[in-house]
Amino acid sequence: MAAVSLTAVAARADGPRPAVLVLPGGGYGHQADHEAEPVAEWLASLGIHAFVLRYRVAPHRHPAPLEDAKTALLQIRSEGNGLAVDSSRVGVLGFSAGGHLAATLSTAVATGDSALDLEAAVPDLTVLCYPVVSYTEEVHQGCVDNLLGASPSEDLLREVSADLHVTAATPPAFVWHTADDAAVPVHHSLSYTGSLVRAGVPAELHVFPHGRHGLGLAPEDPGPAQWTSLCAAWLARMGWTQSSPNAM
């Protein structure tokens, strides 16, 4: 298993701390900088070690990004990349296409590599920000083209649709979206959350009435800007932080 390159932002707290793998969006064609290190800095302010992964994108195809994400999660659990990581509390946070990658990681979608398709490569909790989830309903065609290429089979489309693979073993999730997202319909978040609820997995969903796709931390959008404080409170209830500070 080849190592991947991670940008680490250490928690502002002592002792072994929970860790979160941050997966920026970009339609599997590039990666959005504002969904990367700034988000890691926010997590670090909560007392959580954060690791940003620049996973492979087009022209690389599935399962390359998932291989990178699983490798990163295993690397964080086993080594901590020099930080004191509580290996029993390693989560994932993803935006848009990075949210799709986080969801496939969370639902144990296989890469076909037995060294990677391990229980330890499934995160302990999940945060999804306006995620791409389904490759069969209300699809984001750019993600389909970049991740799977032209004319993928129906079986492959179902294989990477995370909402179809939720089980009782899928980790708890915090999910948010905007109702008028014109790029990735809110259906994706509704479908994933619905699958979690039906499987008996704890889930928290927030749908804000307005907001463009790709908001990141959304500091200038009064509605969606609440997501960081809501997520911080959820992380506190999950026992991953000592308190739930306000959004940045």
Side-chain angles (χ1 to χ4, degrees):
M1 180 178 68
V4 292
S5 178
L6 294 168
T7 301
V9 181
R12 297 160 201 173
D14 297 326
R17 301 299 307 157
V20 168
L21 176 64
V22 177
L23 303 172
Y28 285 116
H30 68 281
Q31 285 163 17
D33 290 341
H34 71 289
E35 296 169 347
E37 283 76 13
V39 179
E41 293 284 354
W42 166 68
L43 287 165
S45 76
L46 303 180
I48 296 173
H49 294 315
F51 297 85
V52 177
L53 173 65
R54 301 291 185 164
Y55 52 89
R56 284 174 286 175
V57 297
H60 299 283
R61 306 294 191 206
H62 173 75
L66 188 55
E67 290 172 346
D68 292 348
K70 290 194 178 194
T71 300
L73 205 66
L74 292 169
Q75 195 170 306
I76 293 166
R77 280 201 204 277
S78 64
E79 304 170 12
N81 278 52
L83 301 179
V85 168
D86 177 353
S87 62
S88 69
R89 293 186 292 172
V90 179
V92 64
L93 184 158
F95 295 84
S96 192
H100 175 260
L101 185 52
T104 53
L105 195 64
S106 299
T107 52
V109 171
T111 64
D113 184 340
S114 60
L116 295 177
D117 295 334
L118 305 172
E119 185 177 344
V122 177
D124 300 302
L125 59 69
T126 308
V127 177
L128 301 179
C129 310
Y130 41 86
V132 173
V133 171
S134 177
Y135 272 54
T136 63
E137 296 183 35
E138 298 193 54
V139 301
H140 184 278
Q141 194 59 46
C143 282
V144 174
D145 294 343
N146 286 331
L147 184 64
L148 304 180
S151 304
S153 68
E154 185 65 29
D155 286 346
L156 183 55
L157 292 169
R158 291 179 62 82
E159 179 184 331
V160 299
S161 294
D163 54 327
L164 303 181
H165 303 292
V166 169
T167 70
T170 301
F174 177 97
V175 186
W176 75 274
H177 218 115
T178 56
D180 59 357
D181 188 324
V184 178
V186 69
H187 164 82
H188 289 254
S189 286
L190 298 175
S191 181
Y192 189 76
T193 307
S195 294
L196 292 173
V197 171
R198 286 190 294 274
V201 177
E204 180 166 329
L205 170 66
H206 295 275
V207 178
F208 301 100
H210 303 294
R212 62 174 177 79
H213 188 73
L215 288 170
L217 293 170
E220 298 176 359
D221 293 80
Q226 298 174 75
W227 86 263
T228 51
S229 57
L230 291 166
C231 186
W234 179 76
L235 289 166
R237 293 195 301 276
M238 296 294 290
W240 283 44
T241 65
Q242 297 301 312
S243 60
S244 52
N246 292 328
M248 294 179 66

